[in-house]
Amino acid sequence: MNLAYIPSPSHGVLYLGPIPLRGYAICIIIGVFVAVWFGNKRWIARGGQSGTVADIAVWAVPFGLVGGRLYHVITDYELYFSEGRDWVDAFKVWEGGLGIWGAIALGALGAWIGARRRGIPMPAYADAVAPGIAFAQAIGRWGNWFNQELYGRETHVPWALHITSAEGGRVPGYYHPTFLYESLWCVGVGLLVIWADRRFKLGHGRAFALYVAAYCAGRGWIEYLRVDDAHHILGLRLNVWTALIVFLLAVAYIVVSGRKRPGREAVVEPAAVSGGPAGDTEGVAEDEAVKTGTTEESAEQSPKDEAESAKKV
């Protein structure tokens, strides 16, 4: 018996009267708010408008939730569609089961739609929200603690996680708290991106690519510790292969992007420069015209002034 360990909650649901408050859902919601809040601060620091990150998140978050759930259901389809299972459970997101790969992929699609509607470059937006997403993942992983799921191999280290539930094939005992490992790793990833962004002025999506690469590096070894059922390819869990492939793609993007488009975007949101509505670039042109003295009125007067000068001579 371990004298020191991380206890598991006796239940993952609290009731506010008749309203159930599920720990998993609360962690996801808090993570989203942190990502939007911190992303907004970084976006403003880059020269963007306050509120833009939240406006785009209205598209990105629902897409991300759907994508995360789809990835989980597709890769663990036997949990919902095999004999004796109820397919309706595939829609019960509050019970856990969101694949980060699907969440990022489809969330990026939603963000692209929102960014396009605002008339801002998607890579700049991704760079701004990257650390916040890492911090959101760190918070969201505690939802697995509430559900007593996704733990690692049996261990007797002082920080072992004590699993008490026997539901769903669980065996009570002491296991590696992989949810905690990944939570701490994500905090480190967020801090790494912040430091690297300040040090190297990352732009054109490279800060986001660094977040992806760093997360995948940690997810690979953490996934290797887990003991929950998963599909294997050549002896490795599916998510290990996914982490490896995505890691290589992210690193390749950083290298290629750094060569083709070095530096950082000078303007991330034209409306913030012009003071006009989102997507309005006319104000920028007008400002430049005033600075250079090439307004439409001055252009019309110039020939007249030249003619009068010629007469006087």
Side-chain angles (χ1 to χ4, degrees), residues 255-309:
V255 174
V256 174
S257 175
R259 291 177 178 175
K260 289 188 174 182
R261 306 187 70 183
R264 176 186 283 179
E265 299 91 340
V267 177
V268 296
E269 190 168 7
V273 178
S274 66
D280 179 18
T281 57
E282 294 180 2
V284 179
E286 291 175 1
D287 290 343
E288 292 298 323
V290 170
K291 290 179 182 178
T292 57
T294 57
T295 59
E296 191 173 315
E297 183 179 354
S298 64
E300 293 177 354
Q301 292 178 351
S302 182
K304 295 179 181 178
D305 293 340
E306 291 179 1
E308 290 178 2
S309 298

Side-chain angles (χ1 to χ4, degrees), residues 9-268:
S10 56
H11 48 79
V13 184
L14 298 176
Y15 287 90
L16 188 62
I19 302 175
L21 301 177
R22 301 182 181 276
Y24 186 88
I26 291 174
C27 290
I28 297 296
I29 293 171
I30 294 175
V32 169
F33 274 106
V34 168
V36 172
W37 169 77
F38 194 65
N40 184 64
K41 289 175 65 68
R42 284 175 52 83
W43 184 251
I44 294 174
R46 288 285 305 275
Q49 289 184 320
S50 176
T52 295
V53 170
D55 290 344
I56 296 177
V58 170
W59 289 88
V61 173
F63 272 71
L65 291 174
V66 172
R69 190 59 176 178
L70 280 175
Y71 181 89
H72 168 72
V73 172
I74 291 173
T75 56
D76 291 301
Y77 61 89
E78 66 278 357
L79 297 177
Y80 307 100
F81 302 106
S82 59
E83 186 177 355
R85 300 284 186 170
D86 187 356
W87 62 271
V88 176
D89 291 342
F91 297 95
K92 298 179 180 179
V93 180
W94 56 87
E95 293 184 355
L98 291 175
I100 185 62
W101 317 111
I104 294 297
L106 218 57
L109 174 60
W112 177 80
I113 295 174
R116 186 176 179 83
R117 290 169 61 88
R118 296 279 301 193
I120 63 175
M122 176 61 186
Y125 178 83
D127 285 341
V129 300
I133 294 177
F135 295 144
Q137 288 179 248
I139 297 170
R141 270 305 173 197
W142 284 85
N144 301 133
W145 175 68
F146 280 102
N147 287 353
Q148 295 198 41
E149 61 183 0
L150 305 187
Y151 44 86
R153 302 170 187 169
E154 188 173 7
T155 184
H156 298 288
V157 296
W159 56 87
L161 174 65
H162 186 200
I163 296 297
T164 58
S165 173
E167 296 182 5
R170 300 183 184 91
V171 178
Y174 299 90
Y175 300 89
H176 277 289
T178 50
F179 83 91
L180 178 60
Y181 298 162
E182 187 166 338
S183 179
L184 294 175
W185 183 271
C186 286
V187 171
V189 169
L191 295 176
L192 171 65
V193 174
I194 293 172
W195 171 82
D197 195 25
R198 291 176 178 173
R199 175 66 177 80
F200 303 106
K201 303 298 182 184
L202 301 177
H204 302 287
R206 288 188 289 276
F208 185 81
L210 176 60
Y211 145 71
V212 172
Y215 172 74
C216 289
R219 180 61 184 267
W221 68 265
I222 293 171
E223 187 75 22
Y224 187 72
L225 289 174
R226 283 168 47 172
V227 294
D228 52 298
D229 292 334
H231 295 286
H232 287 71
I233 300 175
L234 299 178
L236 292 179
R237 293 166 67 96
L238 174 61
N239 282 333
V240 174
W241 283 108
T242 304
L244 177 60
I245 294 172
V246 175
F247 170 82
L248 294 175
L249 291 174
V251 171
Y253 179 87
I254 293 173
V255 174
V256 174
S257 175
R259 291 177 178 175
K260 289 188 174 182
R261 306 187 70 183
R264 176 186 283 179
E265 299 91 340
V267 177
V268 296

